[in-house]
Amino acid sequence: MQAREYPAAFTPPPPQVYLFATCLVDLFMPQAGLDAVRLLEREGVLVHFPRGQSCCGQPAYSSGNPQQARTVALAQLDLFAQPWPVIVPSGSCAGMLRQHWPLLFEGDPVAGPKARELAGRVYELSEFLLRVLKLKLPAGAPGQAPERVVLHTSCGARREMGTRVHGVELLDAMPGVTRLEHARESECCGFGGTFSLKHPDISGAMVTDKIASARATGAERVVAADCGCLLNIGHAAARQGGAPLPVEHLASFLWRRSGGEPA
């Protein structure tokens, strides 16, 4: 499936946006959400966070339960009523909102138009920073040590949202940061939501290959914009032992390297 494009949706950049934080950010990596807000606010954007938001419905949808996914999505369709962009610090969740919510309500005379209108305002964070805000990153904090990193782009972010190019562009623009490519960069990390629960042996082999490939570059950190992948890679690397391979959300990495708090 090709990512839908909404190139003229917000010109000039809007002064207000919504944040759809995702359930993994909310429950496991809240710092990524806070740093996403800081990046947006530093660009002069007012960020709104509707308290009623929850999961995007992707776990149910990808497990073959579209009715449960519709129930989850329907509860949130009216939370983003203003015509502002909806910023998602996760390529896979952004892909669910942009690509699949309209399909969930296809033929529904009420929810269908709402889902399609909302989909046209959904942006993955790095996509919005670059393509709408035209972000020019600050030079960074004085005295920061150089870092060598590898970028991991989730399957949904890469194939449904096309956001690998945005991550590459942002990392390559950071002073003192060297982005290294590795042989298995385009491969799934093995998380895949419920896939890792249903097929743990295959999932474990996939993340082992991913970690070995990243370590072979000599990188000091894995940067990604999807928390599920970061949790999977980070925990697996810690259990395996060997050379440290910390992980960091792209929002936190950008904030830290451009003058925010240290890791």
Side-chain angles (χ1 to χ4, degrees):
M1 179 183 294
Q2 295 298 314
R4 294 173 184 159
E5 295 290 342
Y6 301 98
F10 296 98
T11 305
Q16 301 186 71
V17 302
Y18 290 112
L19 180 73
F20 186 94
T22 82
C23 51
L24 287 180
V25 167
D26 183 37
L27 296 172
F28 295 104
M29 300 185 72
Q31 193 61 48
L34 293 172
D35 291 334
V37 171
R38 288 168 169 165
L39 287 169
L40 293 166
E41 288 182 339
R42 188 164 63 187
E43 298 304 305
V45 177
L46 179 62
V47 181
H48 298 265
F49 181 81
R51 293 300 183 101
Q53 64 181 279
S54 61
C55 177
C56 67
Q58 184 178 179
Y61 188 70
S62 61
S63 297
N65 298 298
Q67 184 53 54
Q68 287 88 336
R70 276 192 291 271
T71 300
V72 171
L74 188 61
Q76 302 175 84
L77 275 181
D78 293 326
L79 293 179
F80 306 93
Q82 297 297 322
W84 306 325
V86 179
I87 313 305
V88 189
S90 162
S92 60
C93 296
M96 183 66 190
L97 271 66
R98 184 189 284 183
Q99 304 283 6
H100 300 290
W101 276 22
L103 297 177
L104 284 174
F105 298 106
E106 197 168 26
D108 187 314
V110 177
K114 291 181 179 180
R116 290 191 296 272
E117 189 277 331
L118 178 61
R121 297 187 276 124
V122 169
Y123 284 86
E124 187 269 340
L125 175 66
S126 65
E127 175 188 35
F128 185 77
L129 291 173
L130 278 173
R131 299 298 178 251
V132 179
L133 296 184
K134 313 296 184 184
L135 177 68
K136 301 297 183 185
L137 287 164
Q144 279 190 331
E147 283 190 75
R148 296 173 297 168
V149 304
V150 293
L151 174 68
H152 171 75
T153 309
S154 76
C155 302
R158 177 183 289 263
R159 294 176 175 85
E160 292 189 336
M161 295 294 289
T163 59
R164 178 185 180 271
V165 295
H166 308 119
V168 167
E169 190 171 334
L170 285 167
L171 291 180
D172 288 352
M174 291 297 303
V177 174
T178 301
R179 180 183 57 85
L180 304 170
E181 295 192 6
H182 61 101
R184 297 185 181 273
E185 183 181 337
S186 64
E187 297 179 12
C188 176
C189 73
F191 176 60
T194 56
F195 172 84
S196 60
L197 300 177
K198 295 178 179 178
H199 307 284
D201 291 341
I202 299 174
S203 174
M206 293 169 73
V207 75
T208 295
D209 288 345
K210 173 75 71 170
I211 291 167
S213 180
R215 279 180 169 151
T217 67
E220 299 152 330
R221 188 178 302 272
V222 174
V223 177
D226 280 81
C227 292
C229 300
L230 287 170
L231 291 169
N232 188 40
I233 295 169
H235 289 162
R239 288 196 304 270
Q240 290 175 14
L245 191 65
V247 299
E248 191 170 13
H249 193 281
L250 179 63
S252 297
F253 183 80
L254 293 176
W255 175 253
R256 175 172 61 84
R257 291 293 310 190
S258 60
E261 290 83 352

